[in-house]
Amino acid sequence: MKKKIVFGAATVAIAIAAAGTFGAVSANASAPAAAPAVAAKADASNQNLQQTTHLTIEAATKAAQATLEAAEDENQRVTVAVVDRNGNTIVTLRGDGAGPQSYESAERKAFTAVSWNAPTSVLAGRLAQAPNLKDIPGTLFLGGGVPVTAKGAPIAGIGVAGAPSGDLDEKFAQAGAAALAK
């Protein structure tokens, strides 16, 4: 039986602050009384630095709302999730009447789409050649997830769950991605 432990934001913030303070005190207490270290300067022309594109909360919300509206136009009750390049949820909207399973499924479809930079319906077809793909934590290889790209690289994923088929879920997710191009 799996159990989840949920902490409030204040508890986590206090724990992080306490851990940071302990780390700083420990590092300072063990440091010799020598000259202070010089901070390294970051050089924008340095080949070790890379600039990336991220989806804003406003853009993620716009995509999620467009997705939900596309589903509502066809009388479908779905949940939509938008995740960033790292698979972290930016926004999730649960439509009126969407099933309880749809929330987690939408997030997992979005995560899967951005992880492989491909629609989840395409990825589901790959399971025949590599059935253990489905064992990767956090993934869901069912239609309904699409990647969002900028300059050919994935920057986000949109996942939809709750319609009677993955094809419909994916159609609605594509409507959300299309809204970002406007």
Side-chain angles (χ1 to χ4, degrees):
M1 178 165 88
K2 287 179 154 180
K3 291 185 179 181
K4 288 187 180 180
I5 300 175
V6 180
F7 295 100
T11 305
V12 173
I14 291 169
I16 291 170
T21 302
F22 177 76
V25 170
S26 297
N28 290 337
S30 64
V38 177
K41 289 185 179 181
D43 181 0
S45 63
N46 185 332
Q47 295 296 321
N48 295 321
L49 299 178
Q50 182 176 5
Q51 186 175 8
T52 61
T53 303
H54 297 278
L55 201 60
T56 65
I57 185 71
E58 292 83 11
T61 302
K62 176 182 177 180
Q65 192 62 47
T67 301
L68 208 53
E69 288 171 5
E72 289 171 352
D73 287 347
E74 295 192 27
N75 294 318
Q76 297 300 315
R77 294 173 176 92
V78 301
T79 296
V80 57
V82 181
V83 301
D84 67 12
R85 174 61 185 113
N86 298 319
N88 299 311
T89 303
I90 301 171
V91 65
T92 300
L93 297 178
R94 184 176 175 272
D96 293 337
Q101 80 290 353
S102 65
Y103 192 93
E104 182 179 352
S105 296
E107 287 183 336
R108 290 176 60 191
K109 288 178 184 183
F111 175 82
T112 305
V114 75
S115 295
W116 277 275
N117 193 24
T120 53
S121 61
V122 171
L123 296 170
R126 295 182 188 170
L127 287 178
Q129 295 84 25
N132 57 345
L133 277 178
K134 69 181 178 334
D135 298 331
I136 297 172
T139 59
L140 186 58
F141 292 90
L142 297 174
V146 298
V148 176
T149 59
K151 299 179 184 175
I155 61 167
I158 301 174
V160 178
S165 73
D167 291 340
L168 278 175
D169 286 339
E170 196 161 306
K171 175 183 172 182
F172 304 142
Q174 288 170 345
L180 294 172
K182 296 178 183 179

